[in-house]
Amino acid sequence: MDNMGTLVIGDMNVHHERWLVFSNGTSAEGRALRNEATEHGLKQHVKAPTRHEYLLDLCLSDMQNVQCSVLPKIADHSIVEVKLALPIAESEQLPRKVWMMGAGDWLRLSENLREHDWSSLQHLDPDAGAELVTEIILEKARECIPEKNVNMLKAKHPWLTSEVLELVRAKVAAEGTADEAVAMKACSIGAREAYNAWIIRQKQELSELPRGSKQWWAKTDCLLSRTQKACSINALKDPSGTWVRDAVGKANLFAETFASKFVMPEAEDNKYSTVEDRGTVMNTLRTLTLHDAEKTLKQLEAGSATGPDVLPARILRECAIALAAPVLMLANRILEAGRWPEMWLRHWIVPLYKKKAVFIPTNYRGVHMTAQLSKVLERLLGLIWLPCLVSSPEFCGPNQFAYLPKRGARDALAVMVITWLLGFQKGQKFALYCSDVSGAFDKVDAHRLERKLISKGFRKDVLKVIVSWLRTRTAHVVVGGSKSKPMELVNQVFQGTVWGPPLWNLFFEDARLSLELISFVALVFADDLNAFKPFSNATDNKHIISEIDIAQKSLHAWGRANRVTFDSGKESKHVLSRQSPVGGKFKILGVNFDCKLLMDDAAQDVAFECGWKLEKMIRSKKFFNGKELMDLYKAHVLSFIEYRTSAIYHASTAVLSKIDRIQTKMLRIAGMTELEALLLHNLAPLNTRRDIAMLGVIHRAALGQGPEQLRQFFYPEARSGVRSTRLQLRRHEWQLHEYRDGQHTEYVSRSVLGLVSIYNLLPWRIVVESEVAKFQAALQHFVKEHALAGFGPWNDIFSPRIELWRHPLMIFR
């Protein structure tokens, strides 16, 4: 066994039908070996019989770069050839100057910034003011925080340090001498120590990553010895077929590729061309304060990427109190002058690989990095106008769920699914048109956006600043520390900015009107628009499809007037119905749906995606203890599953069991029961977690929080007379209208609508909680109490799938 990985090869002579396939039954030794392999994250790589029709010669490994082939026989066994790809130790060093934040004198820096005379800011124009503030902060920071030049190592063997390389050279030089054994031992010990130190650093970095972070999987690949890239961007092929290998060439090729995506179509003059006055007025009189500036600075993420001004976010955050005054002065000068500083109109763009061939530049997207101080001023000045976006549906639209407080993708999914299920119950089917804007943020007519802001009643001073903010910018693509030629960013709401998303919402808001005119409901998440319309089950599907065609033409006409194009590859048309659906499966907000809403495809996708996630996690088990592994499961697998809860909650038990098996497998690997997982790791069974999550949706609506679209489904029960029965007297005071009255279909009863009856049975001490998080924590504690008491169905304690008269909550009473 090597610290880099484990490889076990040999004639194991065991049988296991489910694991090895080519077996004569399943032997006790086969079960034991599979359990041992699973316990240590070892995968079996031989895929063909090795002795007659049986697979007896195995290759077990936790490394990714193993290939096995079964060759002709020697005696009565076939030869098993194992190839282990060991990458050449290539590396690339990028020189960088970095701040040594840990050695900084933060107290002195804050004091120096606080004592500096910032009064000149009150008389400077915004351009000079922004440059002065940036210059002074950097000057004071360099006096208190040391900097050093480093070579950032990008290597296929990232743990291979210069000290290890020196030991390797010494070992090679000692070959054939009396010192050879000593040199070999020193080399092995040094390499092992360097690798172990690297593992510790990787584990620390993994523990600090946010829940569900894609970087977690990349770092885990590195831990599992998958080949790492010695260069951040592979060689690229330009349109002529020529290979581009140098950093500057790659940067320029990306700049040309990204610029080609920013080309906007010409506007068409049609009935949607006129921007009409919406009758709204931005009447906020918000005055910015020192407290606002300080709070905005403190909200910065310390590790956020530095922009072209090379001013780190951590310096701004650590010195928030000292910098509040100059930042406030600068904000007021920008508002008074109506001009956004020139120095903040520069972007760095870093290419990020998306999918398919890595050598094709169109398979990358650009990640924009902008000045951190610019983001601070955007957030601060945004306090004047951003709150107005939720005050009236005319600003962003009543059914926009992105970039708005107390709304999100899960809410959008819940609203759609509940609406469709209730429609099925009423004998309806739905026309559904799914669309997606092509290059949303990168193609926005700035002049038309200005006209829309005027029509929405924006304050003149705020409008002037936004128009200045929208003017043409300059960007450089950065690859390997090298920059491309400058490229123009024009007619955009600029990725990597704070104002970009809300300005897109304001621009896209009137797209819904083109659909509402023909009685379609448009539910929007950023640039993802899904429109649906109910019809009677007796309506011919051909007529419904023709209505969808009209909706598509109407939205496209709006698009041509607004210079917006829709991605034909992401558009689709469907008829949702339990009896006569039309169209294949479709994806909305990352969830796969079928036209009957059975959700089997969604469950299969979750099971497949989580399968490889779980496999990778199990293979990395040797790097983590039990608690760390469970925490990683909750952060990186459970979060993926639970995002889809509001969309799949109504599915049948058989469908949901495909997902439930994921956690069952995880607990089996960890060697613990459901009860132990609940008590030791706060990990309830997935079915219980789904119930708690959806009860949280109901409770939020009952509290009058969250989107209005959800609150309309969960409203107080109309009371008739005095409560008289014993059960009624035991119920809490906040009873909601129940959908579980025997008249509803099974899929409605087992949905979140059926869960209302369970909500009405909850103890008052739980329902009285005024925060959703505390409410759900109380539900979890309730489950623990009854699990410890030995109550049998504790893991179904909130299930709406059990007949109400024999429900566990009824028994507790």
Side-chain angles (χ1 to χ4, degrees), residues 22 211 268 278 347 357 412 426 486 533 565 581 618 629 669 722:
F22 304 101
R211 293 171 65 89
E268 177 186 283
R278 305 303 295 276
H347 290 220
K426 296 173 183 176
K533 180 179 178 179
T565 55
I618 292 170
L629 201 63
I669 298 304
V722 180

Side-chain angles (χ1 to χ4, degrees), residues 61-362:
S61 178
D62 58 359
M63 293 183 284
Q64 301 287 317
N65 45 358
V66 176
Q67 294 181 345
C68 286
S69 301
V70 177
L71 305 180
K73 289 183 179 180
I74 290 182
D76 60 343
H77 281 259
S78 298
I79 299 172
V80 176
E81 180 184 54
V82 180
K83 293 182 179 180
L84 184 62
L86 298 175
I88 299 172
E90 297 178 359
S91 64
E92 178 184 61
Q93 291 191 341
L94 302 176
R96 285 184 60 187
K97 179 177 282 190
V98 298
W99 297 91
M100 300 175 66
M101 297 292 188
D105 189 343
W106 294 102
L107 191 61
R108 183 162 67 96
L109 175 57
S110 294
E111 189 65 29
N112 290 349
L113 290 170
R114 186 164 43 247
E115 291 178 352
H116 184 80
D117 183 8
W118 299 99
S119 59
S120 61
L121 281 174
Q122 299 175 6
H123 311 292
L124 293 176
D125 64 79
D127 289 331
E131 290 180 4
L132 176 66
V133 171
T134 303
E135 180 183 331
I136 295 300
I137 296 174
L138 287 172
E139 178 186 325
K140 302 291 185 184
R142 290 187 177 108
E143 295 173 0
C144 302
I145 306 173
E147 295 178 283
K148 69 174 181 178
N149 294 313
V150 298
N151 288 320
M152 303 298 293
L153 181 67
K154 187 80 174 177
K156 288 188 175 182
H157 294 302
W159 53 272
L160 204 57
T161 64
S162 58
E163 290 80 7
V164 174
L165 291 175
E166 189 58 41
L167 289 171
V168 172
R169 294 189 190 98
K171 185 190 77 169
V172 172
E175 287 183 0
T177 70
D179 298 328
E180 181 177 1
V182 175
M184 288 180 62
K185 185 175 181 180
C187 184
S188 296
I189 293 173
R192 191 177 297 272
E193 288 177 349
Y195 179 74
N196 288 337
W198 176 77
I199 289 291
I200 292 171
R201 292 195 301 271
Q202 290 292 105
K203 287 177 64 176
Q204 179 62 30
E205 291 177 13
L206 281 167
S207 68
E208 294 172 355
L209 290 175
R211 293 171 65 89
S213 169
K214 291 182 179 180
Q215 295 179 51
W216 191 92
W217 304 105
K219 284 188 175 294
T220 303
D221 276 344
C222 194
L223 278 176
L224 293 176
S225 306
R226 293 191 67 173
T227 302
Q228 304 301 301
K229 292 191 294 184
C231 180
S232 56
I233 300 293
N234 288 293
L236 301 173
K237 186 179 285 188
D238 67 14
S240 68
T242 304
W243 287 98
V244 179
R245 302 181 186 278
D246 64 293
V248 174
K250 293 175 187 176
N252 285 325
L253 180 56
F254 276 125
E256 294 170 8
T257 304
F258 295 152
S260 67
K261 297 179 180 179
F262 301 157
V263 179
M264 294 181 64
E266 292 298 321
E268 177 186 283
D269 189 14
N270 60 36
K271 64 180 181 179
Y272 298 109
S273 298
T274 303
V275 178
E276 299 179 353
D277 188 348
R278 305 303 295 276
T280 54
V281 178
M282 181 180 290
N283 54 11
T284 175
L285 299 176
R286 181 80 154 82
T287 301
L288 301 177
T289 66
L290 275 175
H291 175 71
D292 293 328
E294 181 185 331
K295 183 178 179 181
T296 304
L297 285 160
K298 287 181 176 179
Q299 287 174 340
L300 285 173
E301 293 184 13
S304 184
T306 303
D309 62 348
V310 300
L311 179 56
R314 183 173 176 183
I315 292 177
L316 297 174
R317 178 174 174 171
E318 295 285 347
C319 303
I321 298 175
L323 290 174
V327 164
L328 180 61
M329 290 181 196
L330 185 54
N332 287 330
R333 285 299 297 135
I334 291 172
L335 196 60
E336 290 167 6
R339 178 174 175 79
W340 194 254
E342 185 77 28
M343 72 171 299
W344 293 340
L345 302 182
R346 298 196 300 268
H347 290 220
W348 284 345
I349 302 179
V350 178
L352 182 67
Y353 170 70
K354 293 189 298 184
K355 56 183 177 180
K356 299 182 180 178
V358 295
F359 58 85
I360 299 177
T362 53

Side-chain angles (χ1 to χ4, degrees), residues 503-744:
L503 285 174
W504 167 259
N505 280 358
L506 288 161
F507 180 80
F508 197 48
E509 177 271 327
D510 58 349
R512 64 183 174 90
L513 300 179
S514 65
L515 296 162
E516 291 175 358
L517 288 172
I518 51 176
S519 302
F520 272 76
V521 176
L523 197 146
V524 190
F525 189 87
D527 59 330
D528 189 333
L529 185 151
N530 302 284
F532 52 87
K533 180 179 178 179
F535 292 87
S536 166
N537 274 335
T539 307
D540 185 71
N541 282 342
K542 291 183 179 179
H543 170 72
I544 296 176
I545 294 296
S546 68
E547 289 284 304
I548 299 176
D549 291 337
I550 294 172
Q552 183 184 39
K553 290 177 182 177
S554 182
L555 182 62
H556 282 205
W558 174 91
R560 290 191 295 274
N562 287 270
R563 304 178 72 187
V564 170
T565 55
F566 293 89
D567 189 339
S568 59
K570 295 181 180 179
E571 287 190 305
S572 59
K573 305 169 186 178
H574 311 269
V575 177
L576 307 185
S577 170
R578 284 279 168 156
Q579 290 79 33
S580 55
V582 174
K585 65 181 182 180
F586 54 97
K587 181 172 284 190
I588 295 180
L589 301 179
V591 179
N592 273 324
F593 288 83
D594 59 278
C595 291
K596 289 187 176 183
L597 300 187
L598 299 177
M599 307 311 294
D600 187 61
D601 290 324
Q604 290 278 19
D605 289 343
V606 172
F608 175 80
E609 187 76 10
C610 291
W612 71 259
K613 288 176 182 284
L614 194 58
E615 181 181 354
K616 187 178 291 187
M617 188 171 292
I618 292 170
R619 290 188 183 186
S620 65
K621 182 177 179 181
K622 66 181 180 181
F623 301 110
F624 307 101
N625 60 38
K627 182 181 184 305
E628 289 173 332
L629 201 63
M630 293 301 291
D631 288 343
L632 291 172
Y633 166 76
K634 290 165 73 173
H636 303 288
V637 177
L638 198 58
S639 60
F640 179 86
I641 296 172
E642 294 190 329
Y643 166 74
R644 291 150 178 79
T645 295
S646 59
I648 66 173
Y649 184 74
H650 67 281
S652 69
T653 303
V655 168
L656 294 176
S657 66
K658 298 175 183 178
I659 299 175
D660 294 345
R661 284 196 286 268
I662 296 167
Q663 186 157 303
T664 301
K665 180 179 180 180
M666 180 66 197
L667 296 184
R668 185 174 65 248
I669 298 304
M672 66 177 63
T673 65
E674 283 190 340
L675 182 57
E676 289 171 334
L678 174 67
L679 300 178
L680 298 177
H681 300 284
N682 285 322
L683 184 63
L686 286 182
N687 62 306
T688 306
R689 293 183 68 90
R690 283 193 294 268
D691 294 337
I692 291 175
M694 299 313 290
L695 282 168
V697 171
I698 296 173
H699 190 61
R700 185 173 60 150
L703 293 173
Q705 302 172 2
E708 172 63 31
Q709 292 86 340
L710 279 175
R711 297 204 297 270
Q712 67 178 334
F713 297 117
F714 309 107
Y715 52 88
E717 183 70 83
R719 296 183 182 178
S720 56
V722 180
R723 290 199 251 176
S724 56
T725 67
R726 185 178 303 173
L727 179 59
Q728 288 175 334
L729 290 171
R730 288 181 180 178
R731 289 192 175 200
H732 58 75
E733 295 289 333
W734 303 276
Q735 297 292 294
L736 302 180
H737 169 74
E738 295 190 8
Y739 293 84
R740 193 168 183 166
D741 55 9
Q743 300 176 5
H744 290 86

